[in-house]
């Protein structure tokens, strides 16, 4: 039995090797005919900003580099030319790579200028007025749960919270949200919540806003839609995350639009580009999905956070201005620059005889676009789900243009070839027009290639002057937070991991502490991943070893506490197990030095004399295996031996969810 299985796998590997060497060459004929009727309507290709804090560093880029990055993402006929932007409705909680601030920290609090998603949506609309906007909450402020770590115990409150964000987008930013999702709604509440959300939207005259459900899995929502006519009326799109290019029978039977509403999540090298190229085609070919949305838009967060560089491009150095336009940008362009939402797929099988896939779309006005991909297995694996073995061979593909396309005499050809043995990939290259002879056009397809054949002549590979060279985070950095009207609510480069740290103007403070950075979340949020019980914001270079951190702190509550830290080694969804060297002071007059964020591994403790409602200056000095701390400029503890972790970020934070202010932050590293 086992021998037979291994023999079969050896055959697959041998066949794959022969195919890769070009030893086999197959051919196939494919008919493209709009006279037989069209398939599903194409809804677009997009990406997610959020889930969470994935665009955090983008806002801190200086111009012109920030505008250039945005052009590569959103400007039509230039780069990725994205047609959909999905953003997180901030929930004050960790949601993968950090926290995004809520528009309602508390029930009686509304502020529609927190965070950067408003700005990002406006920048996307500025470049492409037709881009579709989607909102989705990954987490919620604690008050939404009414004391429970669950947002659907009071579905009317949750619906109100979501709809208030949509209203605020229009009222304060003139942004029309096109779609809204609801994630992780439990089985027994899918009926109730989707209908309640629809009712709440309609009550606010937001009939134009359409609902994506469950924005997670195909089932049980598909079954429930078939079962309940009111639910069927309430939702417009069935969205699944990481569907592996397949759907389920019930989803097809609903006759609803089917979307891969979150996909990709893969390192943005050539393999990531291969993953993206394969699923952009095969999500429709195998699963009838008419939109695919990548997580995430741009890797603009510290690379050592979870899923580093899983954006379509990379912009993680605002201090240097450096960014990279990675291969997934140009793979995206193969579809987005030559289609638009509202086009229709043609009725074709979509599978190439030698492996790989093709799709064909039309605007119904005579234009035709064909996208072909021949991604091999090892060069196109996404992070999830697992990819079953398959073989792709070099092959000849002959397309027969029928119906209204029979009069086409030439097609523009755009070509990409992903190279894995060298850094010489060909990305989105125009090959000029290719003649169509008597309705027939033939391509010789190699491996790991993408072709676009189109009647459109508007394609363009945008290029700009090289951005500045990469260099590490400054080894000497300071921020006094003295900005009267900050453009964003968060201070540059601080990446909140638990809690929310916002600019704050304290008019009752001494003159030198009027403008501060304040941790503002006072109740543990409703989370979908494990959060920490202590708030934390990291900054700097993960490779830092020897450093001196200084910061003024103001504890506002007798039950509070604050810390500064160095060599913090974990964050994002792993923040709860973060280690480092944490220097704590508590308002009961004590201090602690711990090796972990939770404060359980105590390395040193004693009396400090710190009290609430008074400013104090903390200094943490890390040199090799030695750690020392100072309070208000005087040594408080010293010669604590630390060996692990060996490196990590600098950080600030609080003992629990409480109001605490920070000022005059400075770090010196060597």
């Amino acid at each position: 039995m086992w021998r037979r299985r291994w023999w079969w796998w050896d055959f697959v590997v041998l066949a794959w090797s022969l195919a890769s060497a070009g030893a086999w060459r197959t051919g196939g004929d494919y008919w493209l005919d709009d006279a037989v009727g069209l398939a599903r309507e194409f809804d677009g290709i997009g990406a997610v900003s959020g889930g969470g804090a994935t665009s955090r560093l983008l806002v801190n880029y200086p111009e012109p580099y920030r505008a250039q990055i945005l052009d590569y993402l959103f400007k039509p006929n230039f780069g990725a030319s994205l047609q959909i932007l999905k953003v997180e409705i901030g929930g004050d909680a960790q949601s993968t790579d950090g926290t995004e601030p809520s528009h309602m920290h508390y029930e009686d609090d509304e502020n529609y200028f927190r965070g950067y998603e408003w700005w990002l949506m406006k920048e996307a609309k500025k470049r492409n007025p037709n881009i579709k906007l989607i909102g989705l909450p990954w987490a919620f402020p604690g008050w939404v749960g009414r004391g429970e770590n669950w947002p659907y115990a009071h579905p009317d409150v949750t619906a109100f919270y979501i709809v208030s964000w949509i209203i605020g987008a229009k009222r304060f930013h003139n942004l029309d949200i096109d779609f809204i999702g609801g994630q992780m709604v439990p089985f027994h509440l899918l009926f109730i919540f989707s209908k309640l959300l629809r009712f709440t939207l309609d009550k606010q005259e937001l009939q134009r806003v359409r609902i994506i459900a469950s924005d997670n899995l195909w089932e049980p929502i598909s079954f429930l839609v078939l079962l309940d006519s009111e639910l069927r009326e309430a939702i417009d799109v069935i969205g699944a995350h990481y569907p592996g290019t397949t759907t389920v029978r019930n989803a097809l039977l609903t006759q609803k639009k089917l979307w891969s509403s979150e996909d990709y999540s893969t390192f943005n090298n050539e393999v990531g580009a291969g993953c993206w190229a394969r699923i952009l085609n095969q999500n429709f070919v195998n699963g009838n999905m008419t939109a695919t949305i990548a997580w995430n838009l741009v890797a603009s967060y510290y690379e050592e956070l979870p899923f580093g560089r899983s954006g379509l491009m990379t912009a993680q150095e605002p201090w240097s201005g450096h960014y990279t336009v990675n291969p997934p940008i140009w793979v995206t362009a193969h579809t987005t620059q030559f289609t638009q939402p509202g086009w229709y797929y043609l009725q074709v099988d979509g599978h190439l005889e030698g492996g790989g896939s093709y799709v064909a779309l039309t605007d119904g006005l005579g234009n035709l676009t064909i996208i072909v991909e021949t991604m091999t297995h090892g060069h196109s694996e996404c992070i999830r789900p697992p990819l079953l073995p398959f073989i792709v061979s070099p092959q000849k593909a002959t397309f027969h243009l029928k119906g209204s396309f029979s009069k086409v005499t030439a097609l523009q050809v755009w070509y990409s070839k992903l190279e894995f043995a060298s850094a010489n990939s060909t990305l989105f290259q125009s090959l000029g027009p290719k003649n169509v002879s008597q309705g027939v056009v033939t391509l010789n397809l190699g491996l790991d290639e993408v072709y676009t054949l189109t009647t459109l002549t508007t394609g363009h590979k945008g290029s700009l002057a090289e951005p500045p060279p990469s260099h590490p985070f400054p080894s000497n950095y300071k921020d006094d937070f003295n900005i009267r009207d900050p453009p964003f609510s968060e201070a540059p480069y601080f990446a909140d991991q638990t809690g929310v740290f916002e600019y704050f103007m304290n008019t009752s403070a001494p003159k030198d502490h009027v403008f501060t950075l304040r941790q503002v979340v006072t109740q543990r949020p409703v989370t979908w991943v494990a959060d920490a019980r202590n708030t934390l914001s990291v900054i700097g270079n993960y490779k830092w070893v020897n450093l001196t951190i200084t910061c003024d702190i103001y504890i506002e509550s007798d039950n509070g506490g604050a810390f500064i830290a160095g060599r913090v080694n974990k964050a994002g969804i792993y923040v709860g197990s973060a280690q480092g060297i944490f220097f704590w002071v508590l308002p009961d007059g004590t201090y602690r030095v711990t090796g972990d964020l939770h404060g359980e591994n105590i390395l040193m403790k004693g009396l400090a004399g710190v009290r609430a409602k008074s400013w104090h200056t903390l200094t943490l000095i890390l040199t090799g295996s030695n750690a020392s701390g100072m309070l208000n400029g005087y040594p408080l503890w010293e010669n604590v031996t630390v060996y692990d972790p060996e490196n990590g970020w600098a950080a600030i934070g609080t003992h629990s969810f409480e109001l605490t202010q920070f000022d005059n932050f400075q770090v010196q590293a060597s």
Side-chain angles (χ1 to χ4, degrees):
M1 178 71 173
W2 283 106
R3 182 177 298 175
R4 180 179 299 175
R5 287 182 178 177
W6 283 113
W7 175 88
W8 176 85
W9 180 248
D10 289 343
F11 173 77
V12 169
V13 173
L14 175 62
W16 200 343
S17 301
L18 290 170
S20 301
W24 291 1
R25 184 170 293 278
T26 60
D29 291 276
Y30 311 98
W31 276 262
L32 308 179
D33 188 354
D34 58 351
V36 299
L38 302 176
R40 291 183 174 233
E41 182 180 11
F42 173 67
D43 294 307
I45 306 300
V48 180
S49 172
T54 53
S55 304
R56 173 65 194 91
L57 298 174
L58 176 60
V59 296
N60 301 134
Y61 265 80
E63 297 293 359
Y65 311 115
R66 189 173 70 175
Q68 293 172 1
I69 295 163
L70 293 166
D71 284 349
Y72 278 117
L73 293 169
F74 300 117
K75 186 177 179 180
N77 298 313
F78 186 82
S81 306
L82 291 172
Q83 298 153 334
I84 299 171
L85 173 61
K86 182 177 183 178
V87 304
E88 177 173 356
I89 300 174
D92 291 344
Q94 174 60 243
S95 53
T96 298
D97 289 296
T99 67
E100 298 203 26
S102 170
H103 59 288
M104 297 180 72
H105 293 320
Y106 325 112
E107 190 167 4
D108 58 353
D109 159 72
E110 289 186 75
N111 184 328
Y112 296 92
F113 294 91
R114 295 183 182 125
Y116 43 82
E117 302 294 6
W118 313 108
W119 165 83
L120 184 62
M121 287 189 283
K122 287 187 285 189
E123 291 294 324
K125 278 284 188 181
K126 185 188 302 181
R127 287 161 174 81
N128 178 7
N130 296 320
I131 196 167
K132 299 297 183 183
L133 300 177
I134 305 175
L136 177 68
W138 269 256
F140 299 85
W143 66 267
V144 174
R146 293 289 197 264
E148 299 182 44
N149 189 37
W150 187 242
Y152 300 107
H154 303 273
D156 56 328
V157 176
T158 304
F160 162 77
Y161 174 80
I162 292 171
V163 173
S164 70
W165 181 86
I166 298 172
I167 294 170
K170 181 64 174 179
R171 181 177 299 167
F172 295 98
H173 301 283
N174 197 30
L175 290 167
D176 291 314
I177 304 302
D178 298 288
F179 295 89
I180 195 72
Q183 200 174 17
M184 298 180 301
V185 182
F187 178 88
H188 66 287
L189 287 178
L190 273 168
F191 284 108
I192 299 171
F193 185 73
S194 295
K195 296 177 191 178
L196 180 59
L197 184 57
R198 180 73 270 162
F199 171 80
T200 309
L201 287 166
D202 292 347
K203 187 176 179 180
Q204 296 295 328
E205 298 184 355
L206 292 169
Q207 289 84 357
R208 58 174 174 73
V209 180
R210 289 163 282 179
I211 295 175
I212 305 170
S214 62
D215 214 347
N216 188 15
L217 300 171
W218 293 126
E219 295 289 14
I221 186 63
S222 297
F223 170 75
L224 297 177
V225 166
L226 293 174
L227 197 66
D228 188 289
S229 60
E230 290 184 9
L231 181 63
R232 187 158 56 249
E233 287 296 316
I235 70 168
D236 301 272
V237 177
I238 297 179
H241 291 191
Y242 308 97
T245 78
T246 62
T247 187
V248 297
R249 182 172 181 271
N250 279 343
L252 293 170
L253 290 174
T254 67
Q255 299 185 347
K256 293 289 183 182
K257 290 179 177 292
L258 308 181
W259 288 7
S260 177
S261 52
E262 184 177 314
D263 218 324
Y264 176 67
S265 289
T266 303
F267 194 77
N268 60 18
N269 57 8
E270 275 71 15
V271 172
C275 153
W276 188 230
R278 178 176 55 79
I279 64 177
L280 282 181
N281 266 19
Q282 295 190 26
N283 275 347
F284 178 75
V285 170
N286 299 332
N288 283 275
M289 288 166 263
T290 55
T292 297
I293 302 173
W295 188 91
N296 58 70
L297 174 72
V298 52
S300 205
Y301 48 99
Y302 292 115
E303 186 166 337
E304 295 81 8
L305 287 166
F307 305 100
R309 272 190 58 185
S310 289
L312 298 180
M313 64 180 290
T314 305
Q316 58 192 20
E317 288 189 21
W319 49 86
S320 72
H322 180 73
Y323 64 86
T324 57
V325 185
N326 301 98
I329 288 288
W330 303 117
V331 166
T332 311
H334 272 281
T335 298
T336 55
Q337 288 204 22
F338 309 107
T339 62
Q340 289 295 328
W343 285 41
Y344 280 82
Y345 286 97
L346 297 187
Q347 293 189 31
V348 297
D349 173 75
H351 295 98
L352 296 170
E353 291 190 12
S357 67
Y358 71 97
V359 292
L361 301 98
T362 181
D363 62 354
L365 302 174
N367 283 309
L368 172 68
T369 292
I370 310 164
I371 305 114
V372 182
E373 60 82 20
T374 59
M375 296 300 128
T376 55
H377 182 281
H379 293 159
S380 67
E381 290 183 278
C382 303
I383 192 170
R384 57 184 176 269
L387 185 61
L388 294 175
F390 61 85
I391 297 172
V392 180
S393 306
Q395 59 193 292
K396 180 182 292 186
T398 301
F399 294 96
H400 301 264
L401 309 188
K402 301 295 184 181
S404 67
F405 311 127
S406 60
K407 298 179 181 178
V408 173
T409 59
L411 292 168
Q412 300 293 319
V413 181
W414 290 81
Y415 171 71
S416 291
K417 168 73 172 178
L418 300 176
E419 295 286 354
F420 297 87
S422 68
N424 297 318
S425 292
T426 300
L427 296 171
F428 200 59
Q429 177 181 329
S430 174
L431 301 184
K434 186 176 181 64
N435 290 332
V436 178
S437 177
Q438 296 182 332
V440 176
V441 60
T442 299
L443 288 177
N444 291 317
L445 304 175
L447 303 181
D448 300 315
E449 294 180 339
V450 185
Y451 280 91
T452 300
L453 294 84
T454 181
T455 55
L456 300 181
T457 58
T458 51
H460 176 69
K461 185 176 184 178
S463 62
L464 299 164
E466 285 293 313
S470 170
H471 67 70
F473 192 93
S475 58
N476 190 343
Y477 178 77
K478 59 184 177 181
D479 193 339
D480 60 12
F481 312 120
N482 288 347
I483 301 178
R484 182 173 294 276
D485 295 305
F488 298 99
S489 59
E490 299 143 309
Y493 314 145
F494 279 93
D496 301 349
Q497 299 302 310
T498 303
V500 173
F501 295 73
E502 294 180 352
Y503 280 117
F504 180 66
M505 186 170 71
N506 189 353
T507 55
S508 63
K511 185 177 180 181
D512 55 345
H513 292 301
V514 171
F515 299 100
T516 65
L517 192 67
R518 190 190 202 198
Q519 199 295 117
V520 298
V521 177
T522 58
Q523 183 180 3
R524 189 163 186 169
V526 176
T527 64
W528 69 279
V529 294
D531 214 335
R533 61 175 180 257
N534 320 94
T535 73
L536 173 76
S537 187
V538 301
I539 189 171
N541 187 341
Y542 188 80
K543 296 179 181 179
W544 276 343
V545 177
N546 300 321
L547 65 161
T548 299
I549 306 165
T550 300
C551 189
D552 299 339
I553 60 99
Y554 183 88
I555 301 168
E556 299 186 36
S557 167
D558 289 332
N559 298 318
F563 65 80
I564 60 175
R567 300 182 190 170
V568 177
N569 70 346
K570 290 181 183 178
I573 55 177
Y574 309 115
V575 65
S577 58
Q579 296 177 315
I581 300 91
F582 295 82
F583 175 18
W584 308 73
V585 289
L586 305 172
D588 64 0
T590 64
Y591 78 90
R592 293 180 184 177
V593 183
T594 70
D596 64 321
L597 174 61
H598 283 173
E600 296 170 353
N601 177 20
I602 299 175
L603 307 175
M604 175 76 82
K605 64 180 180 178
L607 297 176
V610 170
R611 292 290 182 262
K613 298 179 174 61
S614 181
W615 282 98
H616 300 277
T617 302
L618 304 185
T619 302
L620 175 64
I621 305 165
L622 303 177
T623 307
S625 59
N626 186 274
S628 302
M630 303 174 70
L631 175 64
N632 299 326
Y634 295 95
L636 180 64
W637 55 273
E638 56 188 356
N639 299 324
V640 171
T641 301
V642 291
Y643 294 108
D644 187 54
E646 297 180 351
N647 55 274
W649 296 289
I652 58 175
T654 66
H655 179 255
S656 60
F657 290 93
E658 75 255 2
L659 300 174
T660 302
Q661 296 179 53
F662 300 84
D663 203 358
N664 299 317
F665 176 86
Q666 183 171 0
V667 59
Q668 293 177 294
S670 60

